[in-house]
Each structure stands twice: as C-alpha cells, then as structure tokens.
Amino acid sequence: MNYDEAKMKFVSTWGSLGTLWGINKAMAQIQALLFISTKPLSMEDVMEDLKISRGNTSMNLRQLMDWGIVTKEIIPGERKEYFTTEKNVQELARIIAKERSRREIQPVIKVLKEVSSITDDGTEKTRELIKQTKALHDLTETADDMIHKMATQKQNWITKSVLKFMK
Amino acid sequence: MNYDEAKMKFVSTWGSLGTLWGINKAMAQIQALLFISTKPLSMEDVMEDLKISRGNTSMNLRQLMDWGIVTKEIIPGERKEYFTTEKNVQELARIIAKERSRREIQPVIKVLKEVSSITDDGTEKTRELIKQTKALHDLTETADDMIHKMATQKQNWITKSVLKFMK
DNA sequence: ATAAACTTTCAATAATTATTGAAAGTTTAA
DNA sequence: TTAAACTTTCAATAATTATTGAAAGTTTAT
C-alpha cells in the first residue's frame, strides 16, 4: 500500500465512521484530510482532493468550525482562506465529546427528567414509566457526567488513568 | 402531563436519540415502548401503538433481537409471539456498547492499523499520515478497551466507580 | 468606485434510507 | 391435510438527507 492508497483508505474510512460521532460523511472526510495534511489547505485544495462541490465544501467547513474542530488560517500575502484541524487526538476527542453532550445528551436528559416527574397516579403503568425513565435519567446523567469529567481533564486522561481504573 | 402524553414524549424522544447509539427511529421507538411496558407486547400491539406497518414492525423487532436487546416471549395458550426488552439499564448499556464496538469500532481499528503500517518512505506527508493514524489508532483502541472493560464489569460500574476515578 | 478573487447561500436535484403492504411463507390445531 | 392465525420478505414508494452549481454576497487591491 503506497501513500495515496493509504490516504484514500484513511479518509474514506474515517468518513464512514462519521455517523459514530454524529457528523456527516463529507464533514468527516474533510476533517480527515486536514488531519493528515502537513499544511493548511484552501477550499480549492479540499474540493479537488475529495471531488466535492464548492458549496458542499463551504458548508461543511463552516460546520467543522462551528464544532470548533477546524480553524481558519490566514496566510500572509494569500487571498484565499486556509484551514487546519486540531491535530492532537486527545483534544479532538475532548471537543467532540463536549459538543455531542451539549447538542444531544442534554436535551434528552431534560425530557427524561420531565417525564419521570409526572404525578404518580398509583397505576402500574404509570409507576413503570416513572421507574424506567428515572433509571434512564440516572444512567444518562452519569454517563454525561463522565464525558464532562473527561472533557475537562487537562492531561491525557485516557492513556494514563483508564486501565488502572478499570482494575 | 398525564400518562399518555408522558409516554408519547418518552417514546419519541428516545426514538430520535436512536442515532446517538446508531439505530434507526422505529427501532428505538419500539425498544422504548417495550421498555416502559408492564407486560410483553405482540406485534399487533406495537403496530397499533406506534402506528407503523406490520412489515416495519417485524423487521425492526428482528433487528432488536439481533442486537440482543429484545427477546421473544412465549405465552402459553397464545398463538401470537410476544416481545420484551431488557429492563435493566446497566445491562442495556452494556449490550449496546458491546455491539457497537463489534460492528463499528473494530473495523475502523483494523483500517487504522493497516494504514499506520505503510512503509515510511521518509517524505513529510507519509510521516504525517503514519503519525496521525497511529495516534488515532491508539486513541480508538484505548477507548474501545474502556468500553469493553465497562461491558464486562459485572457490577454497577457506572454509579460506583466513575466519579471517584475521575478525581 | 471598480473589478477581480474569493466565499456563501439556497433552490433544485440526486442519493440514501425508511416504510409500506400485499404476496409468500410458516406454524398450529383439528 | 386443510385452513386459520400469524410472521416474513421484498419490490415499490415515500421521506429524509446530502450535494450541486450558479447567483448573490464580500473582501481586497488599485
């Protein structure tokens, strides 16, 4: 496997994994491309390399910036805008975890709390609803807590602490 | 908010969260419905309650069984098949984590390993590709490890150990 | 102020994914 | 063995989501 094959394989695999962390294919591929690039890339570069349209590139780069994963780079003397992604994987994981919590987990926690707080009319079905949504609420909240703790952990949480913790 | 409103709210919220754990809306809604039901439900029951077709119900119930989240229940004297879901949230989380690892994370780890093992021709771009895919490989593997450790943890890992661990 | 260089927007279209429903398949009871 | 009760399959269709491309918008240099 040569460089170009390996690059393609990486970009497309990472792209299809996008769903796992809740972003679309093009977005994930752009990020992947930037991730292994040795220098900032212009919109032109990205379009050419991934063979996607200007509009698509523009929109997805914007989304990546909204996520805080990609930043614009100003190159002196250049008119075009250039882009780079966070290169540190730990930091990348941190940002993604935090954003997903904010965008998806928090709203669910809110609903679970609401639902589990309905008044108990004493019927079996109501009791079950309350009981089970409470359990989910607790689980979700604890998992989310965990994500946040990870996310604010300054140093290297994953490589250092996890195996030890897991006994 | 009365029982029916609460139930609907729960089912649809949980359904739309489906994507977060990688399953589709109908599948997640069926699971949600079973999760708060006090007794096993037939296909008929599910169809009626969620207003989805017989075919859809059948297919999604099957998928849930493939995941190991839902099981058939034989009710003596009844011709229909009845279904229940795992009611323990910890166990549910365990199963889902394990399945997602197997279905999605493992294949990616494999590709990352392949890509990060290409021969280093000394060029900067090849070095960057190797370096970054290696870093991702390590991160993904460690995260996956964590998931597995959680998944095989017999007792209550999340509520007991996490906060302490996270210092 | 003008125009070239570049980016964004968004309606149209394409691609993907989910859903239906009816025919085919299976199981059970008699 | 037959037929009723039930489930599965799958081609057709609907719904959703991603992508394009060209017009509109912005910025910069002169």
Side-chain angles (χ1 to χ4, degrees):
Chain A
M1 188 159 53
N2 64 26
Y3 175 78
D4 287 326
E5 287 166 344
K7 176 178 164 185
M8 262 186 49
K9 195 157 192 175
F10 171 65
V11 169
S12 78
T13 303
W14 202 242
S16 66
L17 188 68
T19 51
L20 191 70
W21 39 296
I23 68 176
N24 75 31
K25 205 183 70 181
M27 216 174 136
Q29 289 191 347
I30 293 172
Q31 198 275 329
L33 191 63
L34 293 173
F35 190 70
I36 56 169
S37 168
T38 54
K39 53 181 196 345
L41 300 180
S42 68
M43 230 172 71
E44 210 72 23
D45 295 333
V46 174
M47 289 170 57
E48 246 169 57
D49 213 324
L50 300 180
K51 272 121 186 79
I52 57 180
S53 72
R54 189 174 294 287
N56 201 3
T57 308
S58 170
M59 283 171 128
N60 283 109
L61 276 169
R62 172 112 84 85
Q63 279 213 72
L64 283 164
M65 288 188 284
D66 286 349
W67 274 74
I69 292 171
V70 161
T71 46
K72 264 187 198 163
E73 197 89 352
I74 304 298
I75 296 194
E78 285 273 14
R79 192 76 166 268
K80 282 189 202 127
E81 296 177 326
Y82 284 78
F83 301 89
T84 43
T85 189
E86 170 62 50
K87 290 269 184 163
N88 181 285
V89 288
Q90 311 264 355
E91 183 61 15
L92 198 57
R94 238 206 68 210
I95 295 173
I96 292 167
K98 215 169 168 179
E99 279 295 297
R100 289 215 79 185
S101 165
R102 189 175 65 76
R103 290 167 198 238
E104 303 186 79
I105 303 176
Q106 298 298 341
V108 171
I109 288 177
K110 198 164 148 276
V111 171
L112 288 174
K113 189 172 182 178
E114 261 178 78
V115 170
S116 67
S117 307
I118 62 171
T119 53
D120 184 352
D121 62 11
T123 61
E124 195 189 0
K125 60 182 193 177
T126 302
R127 292 223 158 132
E128 184 74 2
L129 178 64
I130 293 173
K131 179 182 151 209
Q132 293 296 71
T133 50
K134 253 188 188 143
L136 270 184
H137 178 264
D138 288 352
L139 175 76
T140 313
E141 209 166 43
T142 315
D144 189 54
D145 240 41
M146 193 170 86
I147 288 170
H148 272 91
K149 292 267 168 36
M150 284 175 181
T152 50
Q153 197 84 352
K154 281 289 171 291
Q155 194 59 351
N156 214 11
W157 58 269
I158 206 163
T159 40
K160 284 189 180 152
S161 322
V162 170
L163 293 175
K164 177 189 329 166
F165 150 64
M166 288 300 176
K167 84 143 172 302
Chain B
M1 189 158 53
N2 63 27
Y3 175 78
D4 287 328
E5 287 167 346
K7 176 179 164 185
M8 263 186 48
K9 195 158 193 176
F10 170 66
V11 169
S12 76
T13 304
W14 202 242
S16 66
L17 188 68
T19 52
L20 191 71
W21 39 296
I23 69 177
N24 75 30
K25 206 183 68 181
M27 216 173 134
Q29 289 191 348
I30 293 172
Q31 198 277 328
L33 190 64
L34 293 173
F35 190 69
I36 57 170
S37 169
T38 54
K39 53 180 198 339
L41 300 181
S42 68
M43 231 172 71
E44 211 72 25
D45 295 334
V46 174
M47 288 172 57
E48 245 170 57
D49 214 324
L50 300 179
K51 272 124 188 74
I52 58 181
S53 72
R54 189 174 295 284
N56 201 2
T57 308
S58 170
M59 282 168 128
N60 283 111
L61 275 170
R62 173 114 82 86
Q63 279 213 73
L64 283 165
M65 289 189 283
D66 286 349
W67 273 74
I69 292 171
V70 162
T71 46
K72 266 186 196 163
E73 196 90 351
I74 303 298
I75 296 195
E78 285 274 12
R79 192 76 166 268
K80 284 191 202 127
E81 296 177 327
Y82 285 78
F83 301 90
T84 43
T85 190
E86 172 61 52
K87 289 266 183 164
N88 181 285
V89 288
Q90 311 263 356
E91 184 60 17
L92 198 58
R94 237 205 69 209
I95 295 172
I96 292 166
K98 215 169 166 179
E99 279 295 296
R100 291 214 77 184
S101 165
R102 189 175 67 76
R103 290 166 198 239
E104 303 186 79
I105 304 177
Q106 299 297 342
V108 171
I109 288 177
K110 198 165 149 275
V111 171
L112 288 174
K113 190 171 182 178
E114 262 177 78
V115 170
S116 69
S117 306
I118 61 171
T119 53
D120 184 352
D121 62 11
T123 62
E124 194 189 0
K125 60 182 193 176
T126 301
R127 293 227 159 130
E128 184 72 3
L129 178 64
I130 292 173
K131 178 179 151 212
Q132 293 296 73
T133 51
K134 252 187 188 144
L136 271 183
H137 178 263
D138 288 351
L139 175 76
T140 313
E141 209 165 44
T142 316
D144 188 55
D145 239 41
M146 192 169 86
I147 287 170
H148 272 90
K149 292 268 168 38
M150 285 175 179
T152 50
Q153 198 85 351
K154 281 287 171 292
Q155 193 58 350
N156 215 9
W157 58 270
I158 206 164
T159 41
K160 285 190 177 152
S161 323
V162 169
L163 293 174
K164 176 188 332 168
F165 150 62
M166 288 303 176
K167 88 143 166 297

